[in-house]
Amino acid sequence: MNKKAQTAITPTREENYPEWYQQVVKAADLAENSPVRGCMVIKPYGYAIWENMQRILDDMFKATGHVNAYFPLLIPLSFLQKEATHVEGFAKECAVVTHHRLEADPQTGLLKPAGELDEPYIIRPTSETIIGHAYSRWVQSYRDLPILINQWANVMRWEMRTRLFLRTSEFLWQEGHTAHATKEEAIEETLQMLQVYEDFSHHSVALPVIKGLKTPDETFPGAVDTYTIEAMMQDRKALQAGTSHFLGQNFAKASEIIFLDKDGERRHAWTTSWGMTTRMIGALIMQHGDDDGLIVPPKLAPKHIVIIPVSKNDEERAKILATCERLKKEWQAIPYAQGFVRVDIDKRDLGGGEKGWDHIKKGVPIRVEVGPREMAQAQVFVGRRDHGHRDKKVIAEATFKEQITGILDEIQNTIFERAVQHLKSNIKRIDSLEEFEAFFTAPGKNKNSQDDDQGIFGGFAYCHWNLAAMGHSLLKKLKVSPRCIPLPNDRLGIGFKEPGSCLFTGKPSEQRVIFARSY
Amino acid sequence: MNKKAQTAITPTREENYPEWYQQVVKAADLAENSPVRGCMVIKPYGYAIWENMQRILDDMFKATGHVNAYFPLLIPLSFLQKEATHVEGFAKECAVVTHHRLEADPQTGLLKPAGELDEPYIIRPTSETIIGHAYSRWVQSYRDLPILINQWANVMRWEMRTRLFLRTSEFLWQEGHTAHATKEEAIEETLQMLQVYEDFSHHSVALPVIKGLKTPDETFPGAVDTYTIEAMMQDRKALQAGTSHFLGQNFAKASEIIFLDKDGERRHAWTTSWGMTTRMIGALIMQHGDDDGLIVPPKLAPKHIVIIPVSKNDEERAKILATCERLKKEWQAIPYAQGFVRVDIDKRDLGGGEKGWDHIKKGVPIRVEVGPREMAQAQVFVGRRDHGHRDKKVIAEATFKEQITGILDEIQNTIFERAVQHLKSNIKRIDSLEEFEAFFTAPGKNKNSQDDDQGIFGGFAYCHWNLAAMGHSLLKKLKVSPRCIPLPNDRLGIGFKEPGSCLFTGKPSEQRVIFARSY
């Protein structure tokens, strides 16, 4: 720990939130930039969190009748042209494969591209078109529907300004692609997967989200309706944590997914797609992290408990290590969530303090120190990541063992409730443009300055809105956008019909919409 | 079933083995070609087998101390040039990314590549160079070693002649990449992972393999030693099912992975890499399939039991379905392997015979028919995929329930032992060139013909060999290559030191080597 700063992470969130984020990613050893422009290396600890997310989501997808499959990484250029809106949204920045060989330049001896392709390929930015092509072959009759497929894959969108997990050129995700015989069934699927995403966010990531419909300017290119879950980070900016699209018959028409219906008519299928990405790790960090580093929700933690043996000499060390091994064995036999309690012993040749801080920065839910005194009295010295770093307690071994899953559940609940309070207290009904501007202007910020403020201000403005407000100059100036038209939400008291006049245009509004700066 | 042929698959293995393979892939609905040259679509049933392989292998990797991570899909062109031998082997055919944008041509309106990159990227054909670059940053001291990382990923090697699962431009795999402080430790790791691959092949895929060292001409480009597991398909051709490479310090030197050793000296690390791919699904098909289709080893089967309700009218149907649901619930609570027995009810609106053949072609281990008679007498009508399709037995429900895991184990053993016998009986010690040529010449084949024979002939020739035999004209003519220098193998009686003279050159040989045609 940096003793001067009194916190393990410098700068603190208050001082510079974006830089704090980068430092947490580094201190927790989650990921790093790579020599490939905009692409990250996901390090083992970060990837272990992703694996836990994958496992839980995959089980949820299968429980709702989906199966996994795998489609090609590359998409023929001509496929992109089939859905006009889709091209507009995606074709602009992507990795283009134009050659299939390398040859040594006879002059320099250096390798250069050779074997030019007749038709270039792009690396998938998303797979609607290539999967649609397959479905058009697979679907003949209504009996072939629904198709309920998910794919775990890497995708690529060439990004100029990147940030680890939040915006990278390559990222990992899952993309669900389903085809249905009726509009109603496709809409039901779209909303079902939105619900799966909310459940996952709430119960596993401890991330409160607002379910809602995107306004037309924020809708997925080619979709009829895009549903989203929007979370609020600690700097009060919005983060879109997952989307579920009702694609209507747009892609079915572009890809010719046609089936013979029960009544003998040939009809286009109705399709959906839905995705969640490694961005969720960024959301987890920014929702729960504090000035000492990461806090991992127990449901997703690669390690639930780290045991730190504390000893002064070799003889003591061997005995204490044996005790630690015994405790590890006992504790990891305790069922928790879908598996068992995950326990690790930190045997590294480092001081106890240094080890402790390491696990605090990595957000391990429970730290247990075992020294000669604890060993002698069958006790353990327990620290919790949701408590202060000095707030550690001596507990009898047997008592602690009984409490483990309870403590994990408590931590999971605590950080979720904390996040809910943060979200609730930063949603504000706003009915004047002056108040709107003040809300989204950093304290002390020169209104005419173009400087990007790094501080914590603003929140979710809940305002009346009409489509005509799209692209309003004040929104551009404040870098604020409509995040979603929320679905009814009793806990937050938002998402209900409420006639009014658009804040920006004065035109009629049926209900309020969430506005925010966003990631 | 094609009644004329008396088999569900046409042609049979004897008639045309390569075509039989394609037909099994199709009939079992495992995969298909895509509009992207050389890339396949892995369909849900094929992907489910891959997921089971992944789960088991991943557990084995973790049990041996490895963790997963993720590295970029793209590799800067300059990275490839760092290891000279590696370039030779890999640079030739790969997908090259040269642009990062698409623009509409003002004339035609069609999209074309734009935004040319200063340095092209290639899509990873394998990741030694990009991972080596990361390790060079991560490794400073001997305390940072070993690094034991695995990656699950897609890779791409531009292939001109492709075959589903066996050789495709894009495929899925895992690639382990480890770095160690000493040569001994790296060699130990290389051999440990070879053992993991053998264990996985034997116990999960029921695929007998021969562990061995590749001859220099077959060694991975850039490796010091390549170890392999070689299997024999039913057409007696060899299939390399996994490799483990001892890379020496070659890649550590190319990537500058340097550490400060205990004695204060700066040294290059010793690295290994090891991989297994979706090709294993091809091996599974060709090892176990028969003229009625696929046979999936129970350890990897997406479904262990399919229940087929047989009824004549609606009233009967409802009762029988209820019974099936009850049986499913009971059976899927039975532990098997790492999980539980996987049971499915085939409720499709098709005839019982058609359903039965469908599951035979898909290689489901156990088929259970439940009709009015069975229901009335608390019996089930059971067919096993390792028995003939007519060889079905009436068994009391309670008795069958107790037998389920036993039957699954029996099928797993039966197909493994059958494969072992096939392998054993087709390894032949050969000491004359005439015999060698006859062994690898199809019966009835015109010796001067260039036609590729589609039949079943040859096997593993076990012959004395010297490095000087590399590229011998007879080997080229017969399309035969050295598959490996086998490690000692008691069961097969091969892999032991045995001085002799090379069959091709007469030069000294220390032990016999396996020669075969191969995939």
Side-chain angles (χ1 to χ4, degrees):
Chain A
M1 183 180 72
N2 180 330
K3 278 178 188 167
K4 268 192 237 161
Q6 303 284 342
T7 59
I9 304 295
T10 313
T12 62
R13 288 163 291 178
E14 280 288 347
E15 287 164 359
N16 185 332
Y17 193 82
E19 180 59 24
W20 164 83
Y21 174 78
Q22 304 287 0
Q23 291 305 322
V24 173
V25 171
K26 194 175 168 184
D29 212 20
L30 296 170
E32 64 182 27
N33 287 308
S34 82
V36 182
R37 191 188 172 86
C39 295
M40 62 180 160
V41 173
I42 306 179
K43 299 182 81 172
Y45 193 62
Y47 197 82
I49 295 175
W50 179 239
E51 283 182 286
N52 290 338
M53 289 183 171
Q54 281 189 300
R55 187 73 62 117
I56 296 170
L57 271 176
D58 199 68
D59 285 347
M60 293 175 89
F61 297 156
K62 284 175 179 158
T64 43
H66 301 85
V67 289
N68 291 325
Y70 188 77
F71 297 86
L73 170 71
L74 301 181
I75 298 178
L77 190 47
S78 58
F79 276 42
L80 269 193
Q81 320 232 16
K82 289 184 187 172
E83 217 295 330
T85 332
H86 192 61
V87 181
E88 261 321 291
F90 276 103
K92 286 166 187 161
E93 298 293 338
C94 56
V96 191
V97 176
T98 55
H99 294 72
H100 68 81
R101 194 186 311 137
L102 294 172
E103 274 176 11
D105 185 308
Q107 304 290 322
T108 61
L110 294 176
L111 295 173
K112 56 169 194 171
E116 191 168 354
L117 297 166
D118 291 338
E119 181 183 4
Y121 291 108
I122 66 158
I123 297 179
R124 61 182 163 218
T126 180
S127 302
E128 276 76 6
T129 57
I130 189 85
I131 292 181
H133 185 271
Y135 287 5
S136 74
R137 293 191 308 271
W138 299 354
V139 174
Q140 307 294 332
S141 140
Y142 69 92
R143 285 193 189 86
D144 302 322
L145 294 171
I147 297 185
L148 304 172
I149 285 181
N150 174 62
Q151 166 171 274
W152 291 97
N154 52 343
V155 286
M156 191 163 256
R157 300 167 186 184
W158 212 265
E159 299 283 355
M160 286 303 152
R161 296 176 56 193
T162 61
R163 203 182 293 182
L164 292 166
F165 292 120
L166 298 175
R167 187 175 296 276
T168 51
S169 291
E170 184 189 15
F171 58 88
L172 305 182
W173 79 347
Q174 58 68 217
E175 48 181 325
H177 294 272
T178 69
H180 307 263
T182 67
K183 182 179 176 179
E184 293 65 36
E185 200 184 301
I187 291 175
E188 196 182 324
E189 166 79 7
T190 309
L191 292 171
Q192 172 186 252
M193 300 324 289
L194 186 72
Q195 188 58 49
V196 164
Y197 287 157
E198 186 193 63
D199 290 345
F200 172 73
S201 300
H202 286 190
H203 302 140
S204 299
V205 197
L207 184 81
V209 294
I210 295 175
K211 284 185 295 189
L213 181 67
K214 283 287 186 190
T215 52
D217 47 328
E218 299 274 330
T219 296
F220 176 76
V224 172
D225 285 323
T226 289
Y227 290 89
T228 178
I229 49 169
E230 298 281 329
M232 183 192 284
M233 303 295 96
Q234 289 181 77
D235 63 350
R236 304 184 203 155
K237 283 167 91 169
L239 185 140
Q240 175 182 304
T243 46
S244 185
H245 314 292
F246 168 58
L247 304 173
Q249 293 179 309
N250 296 349
F251 283 91
K253 283 178 181 164
S255 299
E256 299 183 342
I257 309 174
I258 297 168
F259 68 100
L260 193 67
D261 210 343
K262 285 177 187 168
D263 60 7
E265 287 291 316
R266 284 164 58 81
R267 295 200 163 85
H268 284 102
W270 300 82
T271 68
T272 83
S273 68
W274 28 276
M276 189 171 270
T277 81
T278 35
R279 182 173 229 226
M280 192 51 118
I281 300 173
L284 183 161
I285 299 164
M286 287 201 294
Q287 181 76 85
H288 302 305
D290 64 15
D291 295 337
D292 286 335
L294 187 64
I295 297 182
V296 193
K299 292 276 176 65
L300 296 175
K303 303 165 189 175
H304 295 119
I305 303 177
V306 168
I307 307 178
I308 304 173
V310 181
S311 57
K312 285 187 188 121
N313 57 56
D314 281 351
E315 193 200 349
E316 214 173 71
R317 190 169 298 131
K319 281 186 197 163
I320 287 176
L321 219 52
T323 302
C324 294
E325 294 284 2
R326 175 178 57 76
L327 293 173
K328 181 184 173 182
K329 213 173 151 187
E330 284 179 23
W331 297 345
Q332 67 190 10
I334 300 172
Y336 175 71
Q338 270 83 43
F340 292 89
V341 173
R342 293 184 278 262
V343 187
D344 201 31
I345 303 173
D346 186 345
K347 297 178 188 170
R348 289 177 302 169
D349 188 17
L350 296 171
E354 196 176 346
K355 286 187 193 178
W357 276 109
D358 201 37
H359 301 299
I360 289 172
K361 287 187 279 187
K362 289 191 149 189
V364 177
I366 304 175
R367 307 180 308 283
V368 172
E369 290 171 37
V370 179
R373 191 167 37 175
E374 285 82 16
M375 190 176 60
Q377 306 188 6
Q379 294 174 331
V380 284
F381 194 44
V382 177
R384 292 167 54 152
R385 188 58 182 86
D386 60 336
H387 292 175
H389 65 86
R390 283 198 193 85
D391 180 9
K392 295 188 276 191
K393 281 185 185 147
V394 173
I395 310 180
E397 229 187 78
T399 312
F400 175 69
K401 187 178 167 184
E402 279 174 19
Q403 292 177 345
I404 290 173
T405 58
I407 295 175
L408 293 174
D409 285 342
E410 231 176 80
I411 297 176
Q412 184 85 24
N413 288 338
T414 301
I415 64 175
F416 180 61
E417 287 307 327
R418 187 156 73 194
V420 169
Q421 285 316 312
H422 179 262
L423 171 60
K424 245 179 145 167
S425 59
N426 289 293
I427 300 177
K428 194 173 180 191
R429 288 170 179 253
I430 292 180
D431 291 306
S432 85
L433 284 176
E434 294 66 35
E435 198 186 346
F436 190 88
E437 181 160 4
F439 187 65
F440 286 117
T441 305
K445 188 182 175 185
N446 178 343
K447 282 194 183 184
N448 299 315
S449 159
Q450 290 304 307
D451 291 337
D452 210 13
D453 201 295
Q454 316 282 292
I456 297 176
F457 62 96
F460 283 8
Y462 188 47
C463 315
H464 277 296
W465 167 93
N466 182 291
L467 183 54
M470 213 165 98
H472 190 276
S473 61
L474 185 61
L475 293 173
K476 279 191 179 166
K477 181 183 162 193
L478 298 171
K479 293 177 188 162
V480 166
S481 57
R483 302 316 305 153
C484 71
I485 307 168
L487 298 182
N489 185 318
D490 285 321
R491 174 154 52 179
L492 299 174
I494 61 173
F496 300 98
K497 294 287 170 201
E498 176 193 343
S501 312
C502 171
L503 181 65
F504 304 94
T505 63
K507 294 193 175 182
S509 159
E510 282 180 17
Q511 80 164 77
R512 291 173 186 265
V513 164
I514 298 283
F515 286 87
R517 296 180 300 150
S518 73
Y519 281 95
Chain B
M1 184 181 69
N2 181 331
K3 277 177 187 166
K4 267 193 239 162
Q6 304 283 343
T7 59
I9 304 295
T10 314
T12 63
R13 289 163 290 179
E14 280 288 345
E15 287 164 0
N16 185 332
Y17 192 83
E19 181 58 23
W20 163 84
Y21 174 78
Q22 305 286 1
Q23 291 305 322
V24 172
V25 171
K26 194 175 169 185
D29 211 20
L30 296 171
E32 64 182 28
N33 287 308
S34 82
V36 182
R37 192 189 170 86
C39 294
M40 62 180 160
V41 173
I42 306 179
K43 298 182 82 172
Y45 193 63
Y47 198 82
I49 295 175
W50 179 240
E51 284 182 285
N52 291 337
M53 289 182 171
Q54 282 189 299
R55 188 73 62 114
I56 296 171
L57 271 176
D58 199 68
D59 285 347
M60 294 174 89
F61 297 156
K62 285 176 179 157
T64 42
H66 302 85
V67 288
N68 290 327
Y70 188 78
F71 298 85
L73 169 71
L74 300 181
I75 298 178
L77 189 48
S78 57
F79 276 42
L80 270 193
Q81 319 232 16
K82 289 183 185 170
E83 218 293 329
T85 331
H86 192 60
V87 182
E88 262 320 291
F90 276 103
K92 285 165 190 163
E93 297 294 338
C94 55
V96 191
V97 176
T98 56
H99 294 71
H100 68 81
R101 195 188 312 138
L102 294 173
E103 275 175 12
D105 185 308
Q107 304 292 320
T108 61
L110 293 177
L111 295 173
K112 56 171 194 171
E116 191 168 356
L117 297 167
D118 292 338
E119 182 183 4
Y121 291 108
I122 65 158
I123 297 179
R124 61 182 163 218
T126 178
S127 302
E128 276 75 7
T129 57
I130 189 84
I131 292 181
H133 185 270
Y135 288 5
S136 73
R137 294 191 308 271
W138 299 354
V139 174
Q140 306 295 331
S141 139
Y142 69 93
R143 285 193 189 86
D144 302 321
L145 294 171
I147 297 184
L148 304 172
I149 286 180
N150 174 62
Q151 166 171 274
W152 290 97
N154 52 343
V155 286
M156 190 163 258
R157 300 167 185 184
W158 213 265
E159 299 282 355
M160 287 302 151
R161 295 176 55 192
T162 61
R163 202 182 292 183
L164 291 166
F165 292 120
L166 298 174
R167 188 176 296 275
T168 50
S169 291
E170 184 188 14
F171 58 88
L172 304 182
W173 79 347
Q174 60 66 218
E175 47 180 326
H177 294 272
T178 69
H180 307 263
T182 67
K183 181 179 176 178
E184 292 67 33
E185 201 184 300
I187 291 175
E188 197 182 322
E189 166 80 8
T190 310
L191 292 171
Q192 172 186 251
M193 300 324 289
L194 187 72
Q195 188 57 49
V196 164
Y197 286 156
E198 186 193 63
D199 290 345
F200 172 73
S201 299
H202 286 190
H203 301 140
S204 298
V205 196
L207 184 81
V209 294
I210 295 176
K211 285 185 296 188
L213 181 67
K214 283 287 185 189
T215 53
D217 48 328
E218 298 274 330
T219 296
F220 176 75
V224 172
D225 285 323
T226 289
Y227 290 89
T228 178
I229 50 170
E230 298 280 329
M232 183 192 285
M233 303 296 96
Q234 290 181 76
D235 63 351
R236 303 185 204 154
K237 282 167 90 170
L239 184 140
Q240 174 182 302
T243 47
S244 184
H245 313 293
F246 168 58
L247 304 173
Q249 294 178 307
N250 296 348
F251 283 92
K253 283 177 182 165
S255 300
E256 299 183 342
I257 310 174
I258 297 169
F259 68 99
L260 193 67
D261 211 343
K262 284 178 187 167
D263 60 6
E265 287 290 316
R266 283 164 58 81
R267 296 201 162 85
H268 284 101
W270 300 81
T271 68
T272 83
S273 68
W274 28 275
M276 189 171 271
T277 81
T278 35
R279 181 172 231 226
M280 191 52 117
I281 300 173
L284 183 161
I285 299 164
M286 287 201 295
Q287 181 77 86
H288 302 304
D290 64 17
D291 296 337
D292 286 335
L294 187 64
I295 297 182
V296 193
K299 293 277 175 65
L300 297 175
K303 304 166 188 174
H304 295 119
I305 303 177
V306 168
I307 307 178
I308 304 173
V310 182
S311 57
K312 282 185 192 124
N313 56 55
D314 281 351
E315 193 200 349
E316 212 174 73
R317 190 169 298 131
K319 281 186 197 164
I320 287 176
L321 219 52
T323 303
C324 293
E325 295 284 2
R326 174 179 57 77
L327 293 174
K328 181 184 173 183
K329 213 174 152 187
E330 285 179 23
W331 296 344
Q332 67 190 10
I334 300 172
Y336 175 71
Q338 271 82 43
F340 292 88
V341 173
R342 293 184 278 262
V343 187
D344 201 32
I345 303 173
D346 186 345
K347 298 178 187 169
R348 290 177 301 169
D349 189 16
L350 296 171
E354 196 177 345
K355 287 188 193 178
W357 276 109
D358 200 37
H359 301 298
I360 289 172
K361 287 187 277 187
K362 289 190 149 188
V364 177
I366 304 174
R367 305 181 310 281
V368 173
E369 290 171 37
V370 178
R373 190 167 39 176
E374 286 81 16
M375 189 176 60
Q377 308 188 2
Q379 292 174 333
V380 285
F381 194 44
V382 178
R384 292 167 53 153
R385 189 57 183 88
D386 60 336
H387 291 175
H389 65 86
R390 283 199 193 85
D391 180 9
K392 295 188 276 192
K393 280 184 186 146
V394 173
I395 310 180
E397 229 188 79
T399 313
F400 175 68
K401 187 178 168 184
E402 279 174 18
Q403 291 177 346
I404 291 173
T405 58
I407 295 176
L408 293 174
D409 285 341
E410 230 176 81
I411 296 176
Q412 184 85 25
N413 288 338
T414 300
I415 64 175
F416 180 62
E417 287 307 326
R418 185 156 75 196
V420 170
Q421 285 316 313
H422 180 262
L423 171 59
K424 244 179 145 166
S425 60
N426 288 293
I427 299 176
K428 193 172 182 191
R429 289 171 179 255
I430 293 182
D431 291 305
S432 86
L433 284 177
E434 293 67 33
E435 198 186 346
F436 189 88
E437 181 160 5
F439 187 65
F440 287 115
T441 305
K445 187 182 176 184
N446 177 344
K447 282 194 182 183
N448 298 316
S449 159
Q450 290 303 307
D451 291 337
D452 211 13
D453 199 294
Q454 316 282 292
I456 297 175
F457 62 94
F460 285 7
Y462 189 47
C463 314
H464 277 295
W465 168 91
N466 182 292
L467 183 54
M470 213 164 98
H472 190 276
S473 62
L474 184 60
L475 293 173
K476 279 190 179 166
K477 180 183 162 193
L478 298 172
K479 294 179 188 162
V480 166
S481 57
R483 300 318 304 154
C484 72
I485 307 168
L487 299 182
N489 185 319
D490 285 321
R491 173 153 53 178
L492 300 173
I494 61 172
F496 301 98
K497 294 288 170 201
E498 175 193 344
S501 313
C502 171
L503 181 65
F504 304 93
T505 63
K507 294 193 175 181
S509 160
E510 283 180 17
Q511 79 163 78
R512 290 173 186 266
V513 163
I514 298 283
F515 286 86
R517 294 180 302 150
S518 72
Y519 281 95

